[in-house]
Amino acid sequence: MAEHGAKLESAVEDLVTGEDWIRAIRFAANFRSRSFGNTLLIYVQHHQAYLEGRVPEPMPTFVAGYKQWRKLGRSVDRGQSGYAILAPVTRRFATTDPTDPRSWRRLDRGEKARPGEVVRSKLVGLKPAYVWDLSQTSGRPIPEQPAPQLLRGQAPEGLWDGLAAQVEAAGFTLSRVPNAAAIRGVHGVTNVQNKTVKIRADVDDAAAVKTLAHELAHVVLHAKPDGMINVMHRGIAEVEAESVAMMIGASYGMDTSDYSVPYVSTWSNTVADAEPLQVVRATGERVRRTALAILDQLPEPPVGDGLPPGLDSPAPSTTARNGETPASRVQRPTGVPEPDGLQPRVPPAAR
């Protein structure tokens, strides 16, 4: 576990520039069935296997566990080492009062709860688990997935409507404005207090969808029901929204080459009382989980999630796959500047 943890920390440390982060998010979009930390572990170990001549391509295609490959009629080739990831260890706990954290008691294996008790599974630790890339296995062919074909400027059918429906379901009013001048020179703007989202109309469909995904991420991540804004830091809020939009676009085969993210070393060092590596890992997992929640309400993405076709993708859970505290539960400090395009936390008249 210490060795795998050090390997993960090294992978996080390698995310130095904005381009490094973008590549990591693009990769995570193709392997979104895994936690952000585990996608980094898969990436670095597969790359090392490529350098050693054990796999034919520098990028993995589909990864799965030993028994999962067997279920698909394939077996791991002799001499192929698996890629270590961090899997959660859970145990069952019971209580008659779920609101009292001290009342939970751990159930032994096979033990049943008493009458009137509520039972929940909780994370108690981590353990190494291993996955193998398709190229490390042999056997029955897996079904081929058709690659999405989008013309320049074209957006996937139904994506705008699906994103717009989620904006409106959150209680926000969505509208199009004639040009960037109508919204202070930006592509889109979210006003949390007035519950409005505005997107410029003088752009192609792909650009409009990307902007809408960005603003929806702000709505999901940063808008509180009382009209206040929930952000960790101005720069990180924009990184989160842009990364969610990029992950959604990549899941539909859209061109993500024009996305821009500031240097990781800039925004990860600006959160008080937090180590930069922790900020990077929490941000990556928060982005992944938010993108999954949005994708779950959209038409089926044509780009796979890293699991071989024929295996069911596990539903997102409240516990991160690598045992980290889910990014949605990371304590976010207040009293920091707000993201560009969002209104101030307190109206000027109330300051």
Side-chain angles (χ1 to χ4, degrees):
M1 285 298 298
E3 178 185 348
H4 302 328
K7 193 174 297 182
L8 175 57
E9 294 306 300
S10 176
V12 175
E13 287 177 340
D14 287 342
L15 299 178
V16 177
T17 70
E19 283 301 313
D20 294 329
W21 175 261
I22 288 173
R23 281 192 291 270
I25 292 296
R26 286 191 192 124
F27 182 80
N30 293 325
F31 289 82
R32 57 189 180 276
S33 63
R34 310 286 175 181
S35 73
F36 182 69
N38 279 338
T39 62
L40 294 180
L41 283 172
I42 291 168
Y43 179 88
V44 297
Q45 291 174 96
H46 184 88
H47 184 68
Q48 184 62 36
Y50 172 73
L51 294 178
E52 295 173 357
R54 293 190 285 115
V55 293
E57 300 294 337
M59 297 292 286
T61 52
F62 302 105
V63 297
Y66 185 86
K67 291 182 178 179
Q68 290 176 310
W69 283 123
R70 292 295 296 270
K71 189 181 297 186
L72 293 175
R74 299 183 69 85
S75 58
V76 174
D77 296 337
R78 185 181 298 274
Q80 286 287 359
S81 300
Y83 306 149
I85 60 175
L86 303 180
V89 177
T90 60
R91 292 292 182 267
R92 296 182 307 132
F93 290 78
T95 182
T96 55
D97 183 9
T99 62
D100 182 2
R102 297 170 298 179
S103 67
W104 292 92
R105 66 183 185 87
R106 182 166 166 173
L107 299 176
D108 293 330
R109 189 178 300 275
E111 181 183 358
K112 294 183 179 180
R114 299 164 186 162
E117 285 188 325
V118 175
V119 178
R120 292 179 185 167
S121 293
K122 295 186 179 183
L123 181 74
V124 296
L126 298 171
K127 65 179 180 180
Y130 293 88
V131 294
W132 287 260
D133 182 60
L134 172 65
S135 63
Q136 297 175 294
T137 67
S138 302
R140 185 191 310 160
I142 64 172
E144 288 191 17
Q145 290 184 308
Q149 299 292 330
L150 293 173
L151 301 176
R152 183 175 181 82
Q154 183 182 15
E157 184 177 355
L159 189 51
W160 171 274
D161 292 340
L163 294 170
Q166 292 187 51
V167 170
E168 292 166 358
F172 283 67
T173 300
L174 173 63
S175 62
R176 304 296 293 271
V177 298
N179 49 51
I183 47 176
R184 304 195 303 275
V186 296
H187 292 292
V189 62
T190 296
N191 186 311
V192 171
Q193 293 173 342
N194 296 335
K195 292 189 176 299
T196 60
V197 173
K198 298 179 180 179
I199 309 292
R200 56 187 290 188
D202 60 336
V203 294
D204 60 41
D205 290 344
V209 162
K210 292 176 183 178
T211 302
L212 180 56
H214 179 109
E215 300 306 325
L216 175 58
H218 277 314
V219 169
V220 173
L221 283 168
H222 308 134
K224 297 173 67 175
D226 59 2
M228 296 299 183
I229 300 172
N230 178 32
V231 299
M232 181 184 294
H233 182 272
R234 169 180 178 171
I236 294 181
E238 285 302 310
V239 168
E240 288 177 336
E242 189 76 344
S243 300
V244 168
M246 181 165 43
M247 186 170 284
I248 291 171
S251 298
Y252 283 89
M254 298 181 69
D255 179 19
T256 59
S257 60
D258 59 345
Y259 280 91
S260 175
V261 173
Y263 269 61
V264 173
S265 56
T266 300
W267 54 264
S268 64
N269 279 285
T270 52
V271 180
D273 302 321
E275 290 293 327
L277 295 187
Q278 294 176 338
V279 173
V280 171
R281 288 176 61 180
T283 300
E285 183 60 22
R286 185 172 164 84
V287 164
R288 184 191 75 95
R289 293 169 62 81
T290 303
L292 283 179
I294 293 173
L295 288 167
D296 192 49
Q297 303 177 61
L298 295 173
E300 184 68 23
V303 177
D305 63 359
L307 285 173
L311 288 178
D312 293 329
S313 299
S317 67
T318 56
T319 301
R321 282 178 172 270
N322 59 356
E324 299 171 81
T325 300
S328 58
R329 297 211 306 264
V330 171
Q331 184 66 37
R332 300 169 70 81
T334 57
V336 293
E338 307 300 345
D340 291 331
L342 294 180
Q343 301 302 310
R345 182 186 305 278
V346 181
R351 287 184 172 176

